[in-house]
Amino acid sequence: MENQKFGLTIDEAVDRSGIGRTKIFEAIKLGKLTARKAGRRTIILSEELSDFLKSLPIREAA
C-alpha cells in the first residue's frame, strides 16, 4: 500500500486534483480551500483538497 502524504504542496495538490495552480490559488483566496503556511511553504491538507473537489458542482448530462 502506498504511503499517502497528509499535507500537500501546491504542486502536489495540482497533480492530484487535475486543477491548475491559478484555480487552486483562486479557491484559497475565495476561502473555498484552506491553506496553511509552514515557513515559506504553502500546505493543503489532503482531506481538505478532497472536500473541496467534492464541493464542486456536478456536471449536468448533455
Side-chain angles (χ1 to χ4, degrees):
M1 186 171 133
E2 185 180 327
N3 187 12
Q4 285 193 327
K5 291 177 75 172
F6 184 66
L8 306 170
T9 65
I10 295 295
D11 288 337
E12 291 169 334
V14 167
D15 289 342
R16 256 201 214 170
S17 68
I19 296 174
R21 289 177 59 86
T22 302
K23 290 294 183 185
I24 293 285
F25 280 114
E26 181 179 299
I28 292 168
K29 183 178 179 181
L30 294 173
K32 295 179 180 182
L33 181 60
T34 303
R36 290 164 169 75
K37 293 297 283 187
R40 293 177 54 190
R41 184 167 288 203
T42 302
I43 302 293
I44 298 171
L45 299 180
S46 57
E47 182 177 321
E48 291 182 2
L49 179 62
S50 178
D51 290 344
F52 168 70
L53 294 173
K54 289 176 186 174
S55 75
L56 294 174
I58 296 173
R59 181 174 180 254
E60 297 292 324

